[in-house]
Amino acid sequence: MSKRWFSEHRSDPWRRKARQEGYRARSAFKLKEIQEKFNPIRHGDAVLDVGCAPGGWSQVACELVGREGLVVGVDLQATSPIDGAHFIVGDIQDEMIQDATREAFNGRVINTVISDISPDISGRYDIDQAVSIDLVTMVCNFSLPLLNPGGAFITKVFQGPGLDALVRALKRRFSKVHRFSPISSRNASSEIYLVCKNLKPHHNGLIQTVGDEINDALSKEGILDEGNEEEDIEVKTGFSVHRRD
Ligand SMILES: C[S@@+](CC[C@H](N)C(=O)[O-])C[C@H]1O[C@@H](n2cnc3c(N)ncnc32)[C@H](O)[C@@H]1O
């Protein structure tokens, strides 16, 4: 652990504030800022939280939906229980985990999907950014068909190749798509949040998935490398690695 990392964490006011107010993660304040500005989560909503551990966003979502609401969270890591939430441990790309997630809603329509999903940071931004786009795409492909028309979708994504194509794909599906940088994000952060509101009723009739649309756009721009044999870094992602060189 570097000295810089240690001093940044020790002096992080959002981390302190989270501890004082009983939130498990500083990221809780990012969702609070999003809620204050865009109001995507309503009382009584059923909310899917993808990449939910340690549970800061789920805590905020539970407060907002109240007792009539439901929050279902999925993460590779276990999340300690929260009253009003149901947690599933596993990979959102795994079909069994997807089935368990659908079942957890017990026939209830999903009103809002929130996702703060992040890759395991490798330290190489081009790789981490490509995996971030890939994860968000997977979340879209799985969750948007389950989302009620009129519903909202919020996701974190790392800025870089594929982001504009992702925004275009989301604009075809939602009436409003905002790019938002919460002040509680670290200054140096390259993450951004997409806040999408009012899922259009015809979205399930679109022929291409969000993933297909992004793949096409990256291929056209010449930045989707379809199987580079020289690439020696293995990345768990549905896309090949995007490279600009
Ligand atoms: C920044 S953390 C989320 C923090 C959370 N919003 C909170 O407030 O506590 C990102 C999470 O995404 C999860 N994640 C990454 N890839 C995933 C996958 N394929 N399936 C499920 N969760 C995943 C990680 O395990 C990690 O816990």
Side-chain angles (χ1 to χ4, degrees):
M1 206 178 295
S2 73
K3 270 190 188 161
R4 190 173 149 219
W5 185 94
F6 187 72
S7 71
E8 270 177 10
H9 274 65
R10 199 176 46 178
S11 62
D12 181 348
W14 295 104
R15 196 168 290 273
R16 242 192 344 262
K17 192 167 154 63
R19 244 195 329 266
Q20 283 162 357
E21 296 185 23
Y23 291 112
R24 296 172 182 184
R26 67 194 301 290
S27 47
F29 297 105
K30 300 180 195 171
L31 184 58
K32 279 174 168 272
E33 272 187 75
I34 290 169
Q35 178 68 14
E36 212 161 279
K37 193 163 167 65
F38 302 102
N39 199 29
I41 302 175
R42 289 167 193 271
H43 191 84
D45 273 359
V47 176
L48 171 61
D49 182 359
V50 186
C52 61
W57 277 31
S58 287
Q59 285 179 293
V60 174
C62 282
E63 288 167 10
L64 293 167
V65 301
R67 298 201 81 76
E68 292 96 79
L70 168 69
V71 175
V72 174
V74 184
D75 202 290
L76 297 168
Q77 317 282 333
T79 306
S80 312
I82 296 173
D83 205 17
H86 176 99
F87 294 118
I88 296 163
V89 182
D91 187 336
I92 192 63
Q93 302 168 79
D94 179 331
E95 268 181 37
M96 271 169 55
I97 297 299
Q98 295 184 351
D99 288 345
T101 305
R102 280 186 211 96
E103 279 163 25
F105 283 95
N106 202 15
R108 253 180 106 154
V109 294
I110 301 178
N111 307 101
T112 312
V113 177
I114 57 179
S115 180
D116 196 21
I117 199 162
S118 286
D120 236 354
I121 300 299
S122 74
R124 262 193 59 184
Y125 187 74
D126 59 344
I127 302 283
D128 295 336
Q129 193 272 334
V131 180
S132 162
I133 292 278
D134 193 20
L135 285 172
V136 174
T137 303
M138 302 277 183
V139 174
C140 289
N141 286 353
F142 166 63
S143 67
L144 297 188
L146 306 177
L147 187 58
N148 208 27
F153 174 62
I154 297 151
T155 188
K156 172 164 75 189
V157 64
F158 292 1
Q159 301 188 64
L163 174 58
D164 289 343
L166 172 64
V167 170
R168 282 197 298 276
L170 290 171
K171 280 186 171 166
R172 269 190 273 282
R173 291 160 175 82
F174 291 87
S175 306
K176 288 256 182 280
V177 177
H178 306 273
R179 298 180 194 222
F180 183 61
S181 296
I183 50 167
S184 45
S185 277
R186 287 195 181 83
N187 288 344
S189 175
S190 46
E191 71 188 22
I192 190 166
Y193 288 82
L194 302 179
V195 183
C196 312
K197 286 192 75 176
N198 195 17
L199 182 69
K200 297 174 185 172
H202 72 266
H203 77 101
N204 271 332
L206 293 172
I207 295 164
Q208 286 192 304
T209 64
V210 169
D212 295 336
E213 291 185 31
I214 296 175
N215 262 330
D216 278 2
L218 289 172
S219 299
K220 276 187 198 133
E221 289 167 34
I223 49 176
L224 180 62
D225 176 351
E226 310 207 36
N228 183 351
E229 284 171 15
E230 286 166 24
E231 181 54 66
D232 56 1
I233 296 172
E234 263 195 47
V235 184
K236 269 196 179 172
T237 159
F239 292 140
S240 306
V241 173
H242 315 154
R243 301 184 131 239
R244 273 206 180 277
D245 50 9

Coordinates of all heavy atoms in Angstrom, one line a residue, residues 51-105:
G51 N -23.5 -5.1 -8.8 CA -22.2 -4.7 -8.3 C -22.5 -3.9 -7.0 O -22.0 -2.8 -6.8
C52 N -23.2 -4.6 -6.0 CA -23.7 -3.9 -4.9 C -22.8 -3.8 -3.6 O -23.0 -3.0 -2.7 CB -25.1 -4.5 -4.5 SG -24.9 -6.2 -4.0
A53 N -21.8 -4.7 -3.6 CA -21.0 -4.8 -2.3 C -20.1 -3.6 -2.2 O -19.6 -3.1 -3.2 CB -20.2 -6.1 -2.4
P54 N -19.9 -3.1 -1.0 CA -20.3 -3.6 0.3 C -21.8 -3.3 0.7 O -22.2 -3.7 1.8 CB -19.3 -3.0 1.3 CG -18.9 -1.7 0.7 CD -18.9 -2.0 -0.8
G55 N -22.4 -2.4 -0.1 CA -23.9 -2.2 0.2 C -24.3 -0.8 0.4 O -25.4 -0.5 0.8
G56 N -23.4 0.2 0.1 CA -23.7 1.6 0.3 C -24.9 2.1 -0.6 O -25.8 2.7 -0.1
W57 N -24.9 1.7 -1.8 CA -26.0 2.1 -2.7 C -27.3 1.4 -2.3 O -28.4 2.0 -2.3 CB -25.7 1.8 -4.2 CG -24.8 2.8 -4.9 CD1 -23.9 3.6 -4.3 CD2 -24.9 3.2 -6.3 NE1 -23.4 4.4 -5.2 CE2 -23.9 4.2 -6.4 CE3 -25.6 2.7 -7.4 CZ2 -23.7 4.8 -7.7 CZ3 -25.4 3.3 -8.6 CH2 -24.4 4.3 -8.8
S58 N -27.2 0.1 -1.9 CA -28.4 -0.6 -1.5 C -29.0 0.0 -0.2 O -30.2 0.1 -0.1 CB -28.1 -2.1 -1.2 OG -27.9 -2.7 -2.4
Q59 N -28.1 0.5 0.7 CA -28.6 1.2 1.9 C -29.4 2.4 1.5 O -30.5 2.6 2.0 CB -27.4 1.7 2.8 CG -26.8 0.6 3.6 CD -25.6 1.2 4.4 OE1 -24.6 1.6 3.8 NE2 -25.7 1.1 5.7
V60 N -28.9 3.2 0.6 CA -29.6 4.5 0.1 C -30.9 4.1 -0.6 O -31.9 4.6 -0.4 CB -28.7 5.3 -0.8 CG1 -29.4 6.5 -1.4 CG2 -27.4 5.8 -0.1
A61 N -30.8 3.0 -1.5 CA -32.0 2.6 -2.2 C -33.1 2.1 -1.3 O -34.3 2.5 -1.4 CB -31.6 1.5 -3.2
C62 N -32.7 1.4 -0.2 CA -33.7 0.9 0.8 C -34.4 2.1 1.5 O -35.6 2.0 1.7 CB -33.1 0.0 1.8 SG -32.8 -1.7 1.1
E63 N -33.6 3.1 1.8 CA -34.2 4.3 2.5 C -35.2 4.9 1.5 O -36.3 5.3 2.0 CB -33.1 5.3 2.8 CG -32.2 5.0 3.9 CD -30.9 5.9 3.9 OE1 -30.9 6.9 3.2 OE2 -30.0 5.6 4.7
L64 N -34.9 5.0 0.2 CA -35.8 5.7 -0.7 C -37.0 4.9 -1.0 O -38.1 5.5 -1.2 CB -35.0 6.0 -2.0 CG -33.8 7.0 -1.9 CD1 -33.0 7.0 -3.1 CD2 -34.4 8.4 -1.6
V65 N -36.9 3.6 -1.2 CA -38.1 2.8 -1.6 C -39.0 2.5 -0.4 O -40.2 2.2 -0.6 CB -37.7 1.5 -2.3 CG1 -36.9 1.8 -3.6 CG2 -37.1 0.5 -1.4
G66 N -38.5 2.5 0.8 CA -39.4 2.3 2.0 C -39.8 0.9 2.1 O -39.3 0.0 1.4
R67 N -40.7 0.6 3.0 CA -41.1 -0.8 3.3 C -41.9 -1.4 2.2 O -41.9 -2.7 2.1 CB -42.0 -0.8 4.6 CG -41.2 -0.3 5.8 CD -41.8 -0.8 7.1 NE -41.4 -2.1 7.4 CZ -40.2 -2.5 7.9 NH1 -39.3 -1.6 8.1 NH2 -39.9 -3.7 8.2
E68 N -42.6 -0.7 1.3 CA -43.3 -1.3 0.2 C -42.4 -1.6 -1.0 O -42.8 -2.3 -1.9 CB -44.4 -0.4 -0.3 CG -45.6 -0.1 0.6 CD -45.4 1.2 1.4 OE1 -45.7 2.2 0.8 OE2 -45.0 1.1 2.6
G69 N -41.2 -1.1 -0.9 CA -40.3 -1.3 -2.0 C -39.4 -2.6 -1.8 O -39.6 -3.3 -0.8
L70 N -38.6 -2.9 -2.8 CA -37.7 -4.1 -2.7 C -36.4 -3.7 -3.4 O -36.4 -3.1 -4.4 CB -38.4 -5.3 -3.4 CG -37.5 -6.5 -3.7 CD1 -37.2 -7.2 -2.4 CD2 -38.3 -7.4 -4.7
V71 N -35.3 -4.1 -2.8 CA -34.0 -4.0 -3.4 C -33.3 -5.3 -3.5 O -33.2 -6.1 -2.5 CB -33.1 -3.0 -2.6 CG1 -31.7 -2.9 -3.2 CG2 -33.7 -1.6 -2.5
V72 N -32.9 -5.7 -4.7 CA -32.2 -6.9 -5.0 C -30.8 -6.6 -5.4 O -30.7 -5.8 -6.4 CB -32.9 -7.8 -6.0 CG1 -32.0 -9.1 -6.3 CG2 -34.3 -8.3 -5.5
G73 N -29.8 -7.0 -4.7 CA -28.4 -6.7 -5.1 C -27.6 -7.9 -5.5 O -27.9 -9.0 -5.0
V74 N -26.7 -7.8 -6.5 CA -25.9 -8.9 -6.9 C -24.5 -8.4 -6.9 O -24.1 -7.3 -7.4 CB -26.3 -9.3 -8.4 CG1 -25.5 -10.5 -8.9 CG2 -27.8 -9.5 -8.6
D75 N -23.6 -9.3 -6.4 CA -22.2 -9.0 -6.5 C -21.3 -10.2 -6.3 O -21.8 -11.2 -5.8 CB -21.8 -8.0 -5.3 CG -20.5 -7.2 -5.6 OD1 -19.4 -7.8 -5.6 OD2 -20.6 -6.0 -5.8
L76 N -20.1 -10.2 -6.9 CA -19.2 -11.3 -6.7 C -18.8 -11.5 -5.3 O -18.6 -12.6 -4.9 CB -17.9 -10.9 -7.5 CG -17.9 -10.7 -9.0 CD1 -16.7 -10.1 -9.5 CD2 -18.2 -12.0 -9.7
Q77 N -18.9 -10.4 -4.5 CA -18.6 -10.5 -3.1 C -19.9 -10.5 -2.3 O -20.9 -10.0 -2.7 CB -17.9 -9.2 -2.6 CG -16.8 -8.6 -3.5 CD -15.5 -9.4 -3.4 OE1 -15.2 -9.9 -2.3 NE2 -14.7 -9.4 -4.4
A78 N -19.8 -11.1 -1.1 CA -21.0 -11.2 -0.2 C -21.2 -9.8 0.4 O -20.3 -9.0 0.6 CB -20.7 -12.2 0.9
T79 N -22.5 -9.4 0.5 CA -22.9 -8.2 1.1 C -23.6 -8.5 2.4 O -24.6 -9.3 2.4 CB -23.9 -7.4 0.1 OG1 -23.2 -7.3 -1.1 CG2 -24.2 -6.0 0.7
S80 N -23.2 -7.8 3.5 CA -23.9 -8.1 4.8 C -25.4 -7.7 4.7 O -25.7 -6.7 4.0 CB -23.3 -7.3 5.9 OG -21.9 -7.5 5.9
P81 N -26.3 -8.3 5.4 CA -27.7 -8.1 5.3 C -28.1 -6.6 5.5 O -27.5 -5.9 6.3 CB -28.3 -9.0 6.3 CG -27.3 -10.0 6.7 CD -26.0 -9.4 6.4
I82 N -29.1 -6.2 4.8 CA -29.8 -4.9 5.0 C -31.3 -5.1 5.0 O -31.8 -5.8 4.2 CB -29.4 -3.9 3.9 CG1 -27.9 -3.6 3.8 CG2 -30.2 -2.6 4.0 CD1 -27.5 -2.7 2.6
D83 N -32.0 -4.6 6.0 CA -33.4 -4.7 6.1 C -34.1 -4.2 4.8 O -33.8 -3.1 4.4 CB -33.9 -3.9 7.3 CG -35.2 -4.5 7.8 OD1 -35.5 -5.7 7.4 OD2 -35.9 -3.8 8.5
G84 N -34.9 -5.0 4.1 CA -35.5 -4.6 2.9 C -34.8 -5.0 1.6 O -35.2 -4.7 0.5
A85 N -33.6 -5.6 1.8 CA -32.8 -6.0 0.6 C -32.6 -7.5 0.6 O -32.6 -8.1 1.6 CB -31.5 -5.2 0.6
H86 N -32.4 -8.0 -0.6 CA -32.1 -9.4 -0.8 C -30.8 -9.5 -1.7 O -30.8 -8.9 -2.7 CB -33.3 -10.0 -1.6 CG -33.1 -11.5 -1.9 ND1 -33.6 -12.5 -1.2 CD2 -32.4 -12.1 -2.9 CE1 -33.3 -13.6 -1.7 NE2 -32.5 -13.4 -2.8
F87 N -29.8 -10.2 -1.2 CA -28.5 -10.2 -1.9 C -28.2 -11.5 -2.5 O -28.4 -12.6 -1.8 CB -27.4 -9.7 -0.9 CG -27.5 -8.3 -0.5 CD1 -27.7 -7.9 0.8 CD2 -27.5 -7.3 -1.5 CE1 -27.9 -6.6 1.2 CE2 -27.7 -5.9 -1.1 CZ -27.8 -5.6 0.3
I88 N -27.6 -11.5 -3.6 CA -27.2 -12.7 -4.3 C -25.7 -12.6 -4.6 O -25.2 -11.5 -5.1 CB -28.0 -12.8 -5.7 CG1 -29.5 -13.0 -5.4 CG2 -27.4 -13.9 -6.5 CD1 -30.3 -12.7 -6.6
V89 N -25.0 -13.6 -4.3 CA -23.5 -13.6 -4.5 C -23.2 -14.3 -5.8 O -23.6 -15.5 -6.0 CB -22.8 -14.3 -3.4 CG1 -21.3 -14.2 -3.6 CG2 -23.1 -13.7 -2.0
G90 N -22.6 -13.7 -6.7 CA -22.2 -14.3 -8.0 C -21.9 -13.3 -9.1 O -22.1 -12.1 -8.9
D91 N -21.6 -13.8 -10.2 CA -21.2 -13.0 -11.4 C -22.5 -12.7 -12.2 O -23.2 -13.7 -12.6 CB -20.2 -13.8 -12.2 CG -19.7 -13.0 -13.4 OD1 -20.3 -12.1 -13.8 OD2 -18.6 -13.4 -13.8
I92 N -22.8 -11.5 -12.5 CA -24.0 -11.1 -13.2 C -24.0 -11.7 -14.6 O -25.0 -11.7 -15.2 CB -24.2 -9.6 -13.2 CG1 -25.6 -9.2 -13.6 CG2 -23.1 -8.8 -14.0 CD1 -26.7 -9.6 -12.8
Q93 N -22.8 -12.1 -15.1 CA -22.8 -12.7 -16.4 C -23.1 -14.1 -16.4 O -23.3 -14.7 -17.5 CB -21.3 -12.5 -17.0 CG -20.9 -11.1 -17.0 CD -19.4 -10.9 -17.3 OE1 -19.0 -11.0 -18.4 NE2 -18.7 -10.7 -16.2
D94 N -23.3 -14.7 -15.2 CA -23.5 -16.2 -15.1 C -25.1 -16.4 -15.2 O -25.8 -15.8 -14.5 CB -23.0 -16.6 -13.7 CG -23.2 -18.0 -13.4 OD1 -24.2 -18.6 -13.9 OD2 -22.4 -18.6 -12.6
E95 N -25.4 -17.4 -16.1 CA -26.9 -17.6 -16.3 C -27.6 -18.0 -15.0 O -28.8 -17.6 -14.8 CB -27.1 -18.6 -17.4 CG -27.2 -18.0 -18.8 CD -27.5 -19.0 -19.8 OE1 -28.2 -20.0 -19.6 OE2 -26.9 -18.8 -20.9
M96 N -27.0 -18.8 -14.2 CA -27.7 -19.2 -13.0 C -27.9 -18.0 -12.0 O -28.9 -17.9 -11.4 CB -26.8 -20.3 -12.2 CG -27.1 -21.7 -12.7 SD -26.0 -22.9 -12.1 CE -26.0 -22.6 -10.3
I97 N -26.9 -17.1 -12.0 CA -27.1 -15.9 -11.2 C -28.2 -15.0 -11.8 O -29.0 -14.4 -11.0 CB -25.7 -15.2 -11.1 CG1 -24.7 -16.1 -10.4 CG2 -25.9 -13.8 -10.3 CD1 -25.1 -16.5 -9.0
Q98 N -28.2 -14.9 -13.1 CA -29.3 -14.1 -13.7 C -30.7 -14.7 -13.4 O -31.6 -14.0 -13.1 CB -29.0 -14.1 -15.2 CG -27.8 -13.4 -15.6 CD -27.6 -13.2 -17.1 OE1 -28.3 -13.8 -17.9 NE2 -26.6 -12.5 -17.5
D99 N -30.8 -16.1 -13.4 CA -32.1 -16.7 -13.1 C -32.4 -16.4 -11.7 O -33.6 -16.0 -11.4 CB -32.0 -18.2 -13.3 CG -31.9 -18.6 -14.7 OD1 -32.3 -17.8 -15.6 OD2 -31.6 -19.8 -15.0
A100 N -31.4 -16.5 -10.7 CA -31.7 -16.3 -9.3 C -32.1 -14.8 -9.1 O -33.0 -14.5 -8.3 CB -30.5 -16.5 -8.5
T101 N -31.6 -13.9 -9.9 CA -31.9 -12.5 -9.8 C -33.4 -12.2 -10.2 O -34.1 -11.6 -9.5 CB -30.9 -11.6 -10.6 OG1 -29.6 -11.9 -10.3 CG2 -31.2 -10.1 -10.5
R102 N -33.7 -12.8 -11.4 CA -35.1 -12.7 -11.8 C -36.1 -13.2 -10.8 O -37.1 -12.6 -10.4 CB -35.4 -13.5 -13.1 CG -34.9 -12.7 -14.3 CD -35.3 -13.5 -15.6 NE -34.3 -13.3 -16.6 CZ -33.2 -14.1 -16.9 NH1 -33.1 -15.3 -16.2 NH2 -32.4 -13.8 -17.8
E103 N -35.7 -14.4 -10.2 CA -36.6 -15.1 -9.2 C -36.8 -14.2 -8.0 O -37.8 -14.2 -7.4 CB -36.1 -16.5 -8.9 CG -36.5 -17.5 -9.9 CD -35.6 -18.8 -9.8 OE1 -35.1 -19.0 -8.7 OE2 -35.5 -19.4 -10.8
A104 N -35.7 -13.5 -7.6 CA -35.7 -12.7 -6.4 C -36.8 -11.6 -6.4 O -37.3 -11.2 -5.4 CB -34.4 -12.1 -6.1
F105 N -37.2 -11.2 -7.6 CA -38.2 -10.2 -7.8 C -39.6 -10.8 -7.7 O -40.6 -10.1 -7.6 CB -38.0 -9.4 -9.1 CG -36.9 -8.4 -9.0 CD1 -35.7 -8.7 -9.4 CD2 -37.1 -7.1 -8.4 CE1 -34.6 -7.8 -9.3 CE2 -36.1 -6.2 -8.2 CZ -34.8 -6.6 -8.7

